[in-house]
Amino acid sequence: MHTDVVTDVLIVGSGPAGASAALALSTYGVPNMVVTRYASLADTPRAHITNQRTMEVLRDLGVEQEALARATPQHLMGNTTFCTSLAGEELGRVRSWGNEPLVQAAHELASPTVMCDIPQHLMEPVLVDAAVARGTVLRYSTVYRSFTQDADGVTVTVEDRVRGDAYTIRAKYLIGADGGRSKVAEDAGLPMGGQMGVAGSINIVFDADLSRYTAHRPSTLYWVLAPGATVGGIGAGLVRCVRPWTEWLIVWGYDVTAGAPDLTTEYAESVVRQLIGDDEIPVTIRSSSAWTVNEMYAETYSNGRVFCAGDAVHRHPPSNGLGSNTSIQDSYNLAWKLKLVLDGTADPGLLDTYTAERAPVGRQIVTRANKSIGETAPIFEALDGLTPQTPEQLWANIAARKESTEAAGKQRARLRDAIAHKVYEFNAHGVDLNQRYTSDAIVPDGTPDPGFARDPELHHQPSSRPGAKLPHAWLTSGTRTLSTLDTVGGGRFTLLTGIGGEGWVRAAAAQDLDIATVVVGPGQEYEDPYGDWARLSEVSDSGVLLVRPDGYVAFRHPAAAANAEELLGEALRRILGRAR
């Protein structure tokens, strides 16, 4: 066996994490290769909720419009319904995924992008096709077997499933994006917290025209409270729209201690019929699969030249729709750092900031997703539906809420409150956008952390403090209107200043690094017609923000400075690891 292939970065896995890593690296001009054990990209819907931060990443990588063209738009996502079956009684709804009017306004203020629903089998081709078009080498039916690493790189053994032979790939860095059973993470010895297999679920993909039950209350998710719904799984039965209103996925729980049921077509159809509540409507079962609810996160995302991303380092149920979003954002965080290290701009120590910045996010979303399962229980409790009882008793409890008695009034109030509390799962705008980084690639400015004025899981709070994502504001440039986020990214650092900030512009030009400069103000290349940027920048016109390629503020200074070149140079040395 000999080394047949050489590349800069080898990526194992072509899911959201692997595909987006390849796309970002190829966009930045870094040679990379993707291997996947499968013969094709995803063939089932899997992950789907796509939040604003991920859409910002796709916008910077030039595929936002391709993704939107394949997505279910936001206005068809948001009537999350709780019912006894689709054809049965409706118990209540939550305006979700940014469709509550005040939340929708917050979304529009927070980002130039809109969230949407892109099932994974539609998202992966967008990412992979663009990556390959820009230079990524892709190999299907290629199984990762092992790696060895040394001071100069990683030698990876893979097996070609078509030929049946093994060969090696020599790379400078290896990214393990091989999912929740990651062998790369296992071989790298990444320490994990939490546990796997805490509950059992079944996915059933099927075709049926359910428009008569769904088109009048359009939603991505319909939750079914029926006998057996609290067993295992994600807290209730779930009917998920894949494509309005004919392609669907059902999630149903099973007792993980007893093992998964025999997933025959007859079994799958019986579950589908129970949740739809219509025995006559034509149904075509496409596939069935069992999976376990996990609550596990890596404490370290790398070992030497080996890095892991996505489900390899954070494993959790689909609640909150955070999985593929966090996976794509992991890779976006890592890719620019690899690029700068590979081209000699940054010290390899910059790569240590990947774990420092992303591991706390991974732990947060694993905890949040599993907490959401428990937040379904109060809905059942309001109907006395958690205690062992016959189906007839549950239906009687549900019917009792319609009575004109004091007890029924209290039951209705409990049910309303329990359903309303699910806002934490379906409108977690703060979880999506409030990620703050603390690492050696962030230079603190000495200001005290103001914290959050409102619940940081529910509400986004923009900030220009180092470690926060650059706030969005609409600017103009000639006849163009563009976001502040459109002025940054592209694999480069960007310096934003205003009138009086000429010293910062000269300081940027004096650095041995390609830094884009953005000057905002009357008569400048960019203007602030609404005055939003003057408020959100949190610095004076002559102050400065230095923004990393991933859109995060790395350095901030409130005003002009006589020693601007010295201050900016020192900040860059620290960020790029040259001062360590």
Side-chain angles (χ1 to χ4, degrees):
M1 185 170 62
H2 60 285
T3 300
D4 295 295
V5 180
V6 176
T7 189
D8 276 7
V9 182
L10 175 63
I11 302 161
V12 179
S14 58
S20 54
L23 174 56
L25 289 168
S26 287
T27 302
Y28 302 154
V30 177
N32 67 92
M33 179 176 181
V34 175
V35 298
T36 173
R37 65 184 300 116
Y38 301 107
S40 68
L41 300 180
D43 58 0
T44 55
R46 304 182 203 175
H48 60 116
I49 298 294
T50 307
N51 67 33
Q52 286 181 294
R53 178 56 187 156
T54 297
M55 294 305 293
E56 290 173 357
V57 172
L58 301 187
R59 187 183 182 95
D60 182 43
L61 296 178
V63 294
E64 178 191 19
Q65 293 307 313
E66 289 88 340
L68 284 173
R70 291 159 175 77
T72 297
Q74 184 175 18
H75 71 274
L76 295 181
M77 296 169 61
N79 276 286
T80 299
T81 301
F82 294 84
C83 54
T84 60
S85 69
L86 291 189
E89 282 200 54
E90 182 176 311
L91 302 171
R93 303 181 196 176
V94 178
R95 295 183 182 93
S96 305
W97 312 121
N99 281 283
E100 194 278 329
L102 292 176
V103 177
Q104 186 172 25
H107 274 233
E108 291 186 11
L109 290 169
S111 175
T113 67
V114 292
M115 75 180 308
C116 55
D117 188 300
I118 315 173
Q120 189 168 330
H121 68 303
L122 302 179
M123 172 73 91
E124 284 185 14
V126 170
L127 302 174
V128 170
D129 289 354
V132 170
R134 298 176 195 178
T136 294
V137 177
L138 174 65
R139 289 292 178 267
Y140 290 111
S141 300
T142 303
V143 182
Y144 161 85
R145 291 301 185 201
S146 63
F147 75 80
T148 58
Q149 64 173 316
D150 52 52
D152 301 314
V154 187
T155 301
V156 180
T157 301
V158 299
E159 180 183 332
D160 186 307
R161 296 179 69 184
V162 177
R163 297 194 310 250
D165 64 334
Y167 62 97
T168 62
I169 302 169
R170 179 69 174 174
K172 293 173 183 173
Y173 292 96
L174 170 64
I175 298 177
D178 48 338
R181 298 182 182 90
S182 172
K183 191 169 190 303
V184 177
E186 180 183 341
D187 291 349
L190 301 188
M192 299 278 180
Q195 58 181 321
M196 297 280 279
V198 297
S201 285
I202 299 160
N203 279 4
I204 302 169
V205 181
F206 67 100
D207 295 341
D209 183 353
L210 302 182
S211 54
R212 74 184 73 170
Y213 302 123
T214 56
H216 64 287
R217 49 184 179 183
S219 184
T220 287
L221 305 175
Y222 299 84
W223 294 85
V224 179
L225 281 67
T230 57
V231 175
I234 55 175
L238 177 63
V239 184
R240 172 189 143 196
C241 179
V242 177
R243 301 298 285 172
W245 304 108
T246 57
E247 297 180 34
W248 301 88
L249 184 150
I250 271 177
V251 184
W252 187 247
Y254 69 89
D255 183 352
V256 73
T257 61
D262 187 7
L263 300 180
T264 62
T265 300
E266 292 74 21
Y267 173 83
E269 187 167 328
S270 71
V271 174
V272 169
R273 295 284 181 200
Q274 180 182 353
L275 272 63
I276 295 175
D278 183 335
D279 291 337
E280 304 300 325
I281 201 163
V283 169
T284 302
I285 304 297
R286 294 293 181 191
S287 66
S288 302
S289 59
W291 51 280
T292 58
V293 173
N294 304 315
E295 189 170 359
M296 183 166 279
Y297 46 84
E299 295 162 0
T300 301
Y301 280 17
S302 67
N303 179 349
R305 290 175 172 265
V306 180
F307 297 81
C308 286
D311 288 356
V313 284
H314 38 78
R315 306 166 189 178
H316 54 90
S319 313
N320 291 88
L322 298 168
S324 66
N325 292 289
T326 307
S327 300
I328 289 169
Q329 292 163 36
D330 285 345
S331 295
Y332 188 59
N333 180 285
L334 177 61
W336 70 269
K337 297 172 181 177
L338 284 169
K339 186 257 187 188
L340 293 183
V341 170
L342 284 164
D343 70 14
T345 300
D347 183 88
L350 174 64
L351 298 173
D352 294 338
T353 66
Y354 172 58
T355 285
E357 293 178 356
R358 296 304 298 172
V361 175
R363 181 169 187 166
Q364 177 197 17
I365 62 123
V366 169
T367 303
R368 177 67 255 172
N370 279 276
K371 187 178 180 183
S372 290
I373 296 176
E375 289 170 348
T376 304
I379 301 175
F380 285 91
E381 290 170 358
L383 301 167
D384 296 322
L386 289 178
T387 54
Q389 58 190 290
T390 64
E392 291 75 19
Q393 184 59 53
L394 177 60
W395 304 136
N397 295 346
I398 289 171
R401 79 190 197 287
K402 304 173 189 175
E403 297 171 2
S404 60
T405 64
E406 183 179 352
K410 290 180 179 178
Q411 183 187 32
R412 292 191 293 272
R414 288 198 307 273
L415 183 61
R416 285 194 300 271
D417 290 346
I419 290 175
H421 192 70
K422 293 296 283 182
V423 69
Y424 275 93
E425 178 172 356
F426 307 132
N427 280 313
H429 202 211
V431 177
D432 296 342
L433 296 180
N434 282 341
Q435 298 169 13
R436 303 279 198 267
Y437 293 157
T438 302
S439 78
D440 287 339
I442 300 293
V443 181
D445 67 351
T447 60
D449 186 344
F452 293 93
R454 296 192 292 173
D455 190 318
E457 291 193 351
L458 291 181
H459 303 287
H460 170 51
Q461 181 171 307
S463 172
S464 73
R465 293 186 80 244
K469 183 175 71 70
L470 181 72
H472 154 68
W474 290 113
L475 304 176
T476 56
S477 180
T479 59
R480 289 192 305 147
T481 299
L482 71 166
S483 170
T484 47
L485 302 187
D486 296 326
T487 69
V488 304
R492 297 193 299 175
F493 280 81
T494 304
L495 183 145
L496 288 90
T497 188
I499 294 173
E502 295 82 3
W504 295 112
V505 175
R506 289 193 296 272
Q511 306 301 319
D512 61 343
L513 179 68
D514 180 21
I515 302 175
T517 54
V518 174
V519 181
V520 183
Q524 307 302 311
E525 182 180 358
Y526 300 94
E527 300 200 31
D528 179 22
Y530 304 107
D532 292 337
W533 179 240
R535 173 176 51 86
L536 290 167
S537 69
E538 298 176 327
V539 295
S540 69
D541 288 345
S542 63
V544 71
L545 301 178
L546 179 67
V547 181
R548 308 185 325 184
D550 59 355
Y552 270 73
V553 178
F555 166 78
R556 178 173 77 169
H557 198 275
N563 59 340
E565 185 175 333
E566 177 187 348
L567 290 172
L568 185 62
E570 177 57 34
L572 284 166
R573 284 190 291 276
R574 175 170 176 172
I575 294 161
L576 299 175
R578 298 170 177 173
R580 295 196 288 275

